[in-house]
């Protein structure tokens, strides 16, 4: 009887430990958002009278005939899964051009298959120095291939075992990338994207990957400040909006990239700075 009670106690402790491990990061993200300058619904009157400075009003103050929007990262930033001109970078640039009433040029340096380690190495090797220096807006999406490459190399089970190591590597890479970008161009508006679930929707591990996502994305809230705008990709690309995923089961489609751009535009308009 004592043994059964002990066993039951151990099971309860293990279940609670797993629950904390999975769900505590969601709480951390919630608290991090509370401590940052929150995105709020700013009234039309306040916007028109410019009573509140937002990321968008900062862009309106740029005294240039042409604004440059640079995209860095992987295939999601490149626009894989949609036609030419339908990438997030292109769509947001077009929306900003209308809002700001000036030309917004897209410079898309997204590379299919890129990992955070590859991007860090290229950034520190000065590959993008000119683009970074010239940009007024820098959008950054990277990290999905860090996980996918581990899956391709070792399978899902091993990739989940390596999850903590992958996170630590990603965190170090992102800190170096962002520090370098701000050093080269301290006045640029930097937009960093949350990672949405990179596992194919048809895979049995898709649901588990969804639960692990907050443990990955909380890194961004740990290492950034109000100098960066975190694009809440998980609001638009998720298991409730699978219609925004292309036929490959991983990348956004045309509508998905449109939703990403719309979410960023909303945050630019409604996040005080």
């Amino acid at each position: 009887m004592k043994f059964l009670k002990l066993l039951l106690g151990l099971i309860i402790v293990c279940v609670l430990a797993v629950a904390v491990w999975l769900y505590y990061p969601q709480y951390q993200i919630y608290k991090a958002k509370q401590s940052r300058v929150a995105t709020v619904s700013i009234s039309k009157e306040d916007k028109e009278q410019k009573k509140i400075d937002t990321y968008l009003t900062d862009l309106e103050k740029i005294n240039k005939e042409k604004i440059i929007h640079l995209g860095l990262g992987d295939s999601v930033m490149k626009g894989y899964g949609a036609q030419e001109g339908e990438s997030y970078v292109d769509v947001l640039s077009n929306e900003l051009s209308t809002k700001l009433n000036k030309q917004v040029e897209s410079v898309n340096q997204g590379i299919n298959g890129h990992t955070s380690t590859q991007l860090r190495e290229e950034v520190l090797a000065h590959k993008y120095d000119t683009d970074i220096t010239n940009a007024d807006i820098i959008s950054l999406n990277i990290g999905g291939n860090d996980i996918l490459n581990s899956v391709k190399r070792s399978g899902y089970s091993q990739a989940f075992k390596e999850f903590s190591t992958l996170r630590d590597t990603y965190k170090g890479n992102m800190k170096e990338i962002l520090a370098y970008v701000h050093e080269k161009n301290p006045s640029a508006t930097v937009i960093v994207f949350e990672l949405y679930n990179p596992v194919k929707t048809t895979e049995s591990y898709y649901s588990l990957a969804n639960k692990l996502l907050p443990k990955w994305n909380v890194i961004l809230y740990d290492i950034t400040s109000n100098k960066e705008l975190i694009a809440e990709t998980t609001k638009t690309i998720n298991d409730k909006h699978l219609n925004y995923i292309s036929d490959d089961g991983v990348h956004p489609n045309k509508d998905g990239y449109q939703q990403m751009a719309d979410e960023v535009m909303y945050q630019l308009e409604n996040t005080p700075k």
Side-chain angles (χ1 to χ4, degrees):
M1 193 67 174
K2 288 183 178 179
F3 174 75
L4 290 176
K5 287 182 178 179
L6 179 62
L7 181 61
L8 181 60
L10 287 173
I11 291 173
I12 292 173
V13 168
C14 289
V15 170
L16 288 174
V18 171
V20 170
W21 188 79
L22 284 173
Y23 294 108
Y24 182 62
Q26 295 181 19
Y27 174 75
Q28 288 178 295
I29 290 176
Y30 170 78
K31 293 297 290 183
K33 288 180 179 180
Q34 297 302 306
S35 66
R36 298 166 71 96
V37 177
T39 299
V40 294
S41 183
I42 299 175
S43 70
K44 183 179 180 181
E45 180 185 354
D46 282 346
K47 287 179 184 177
E48 289 175 349
Q49 296 181 15
K50 303 189 186 307
K51 291 181 179 179
I52 301 175
D53 282 332
T54 64
Y55 283 84
L56 186 64
T57 58
D58 257 17
L59 294 174
E60 290 173 344
K61 295 173 185 175
I62 297 175
N63 188 23
K64 293 164 62 176
E65 292 184 2
K66 177 176 71 176
I67 286 178
I68 297 177
H69 178 198
L70 169 65
L72 292 175
D74 52 25
S75 53
V76 174
M77 187 57 63
K78 186 68 176 175
Y80 189 94
Q83 299 297 314
E84 184 176 352
E86 296 175 348
S87 72
Y88 150 79
V89 177
D90 290 316
V91 175
L92 182 65
S93 295
N94 289 337
E95 291 184 3
L96 283 170
S97 181
T98 300
K99 285 281 184 182
L100 302 175
N101 196 29
K102 65 174 65 178
Q103 182 184 356
V104 179
E105 178 183 336
S106 296
V107 179
N108 196 332
Q109 294 287 15
I111 298 176
N112 295 342
H114 242 36
T115 65
S116 64
T117 296
Q118 289 172 311
L119 182 60
R120 176 186 60 81
E121 290 172 350
E122 290 178 348
V123 166
L124 297 184
H126 313 293
K127 178 177 179 178
Y128 305 110
D129 277 9
T130 300
D131 289 330
I132 291 172
T133 302
N134 291 338
D136 302 291
I137 308 162
I138 300 173
S139 290
L140 174 61
N141 186 92
I142 199 75
N145 291 308
D146 295 30
I147 298 173
L148 291 178
N149 285 357
S150 178
V151 170
K152 291 174 184 177
R153 184 174 60 248
S154 309
Y156 283 105
S157 296
Q158 187 60 34
F160 286 122
K161 290 178 184 177
E162 297 174 356
F163 187 77
S164 293
T165 301
L166 294 172
R167 282 179 72 249
D168 291 343
T169 300
Y170 171 76
K171 182 175 183 177
N173 289 337
M174 287 297 293
K175 288 174 73 173
E176 291 192 60
I177 291 168
L178 290 172
Y180 189 89
V181 165
H182 286 301
E183 178 186 345
K184 286 292 178 184
N185 190 344
S187 64
T189 295
V190 178
I191 304 167
V192 185
F193 280 80
E194 291 180 337
L195 181 68
Y196 68 89
N197 193 342
V199 176
K200 286 187 177 181
T201 54
T202 54
E203 294 287 351
S204 58
Y205 284 98
Y206 182 82
S207 294
L208 177 57
N210 261 351
K211 291 182 174 65
L212 290 173
L213 263 184
K215 290 185 70 65
W216 188 277
N217 285 329
V218 73
I219 291 171
L220 297 179
Y221 293 90
D222 283 343
I223 67 173
T224 59
S225 66
N226 289 325
K227 291 190 297 183
E228 298 93 5
L229 182 70
I230 297 183
E232 298 182 32
T233 323
T234 52
K235 280 187 175 181
T236 54
I237 311 294
N238 55 50
D239 55 357
K240 294 181 178 64
H241 298 102
L242 297 180
N243 54 310
Y244 296 146
I245 299 293
S246 64
D247 292 340
D248 68 5
V250 175
H251 296 88
N253 55 25
K254 174 185 177 182
D255 292 336
Y257 288 118
Q258 179 71 56
Q259 289 298 315
M260 289 170 64
D262 289 348
E263 174 61 28
V264 170
M265 177 60 78
Y266 175 80
Q267 290 183 241
L268 288 170
E269 285 187 286
N270 293 280
T271 306
K273 191 174 182 184

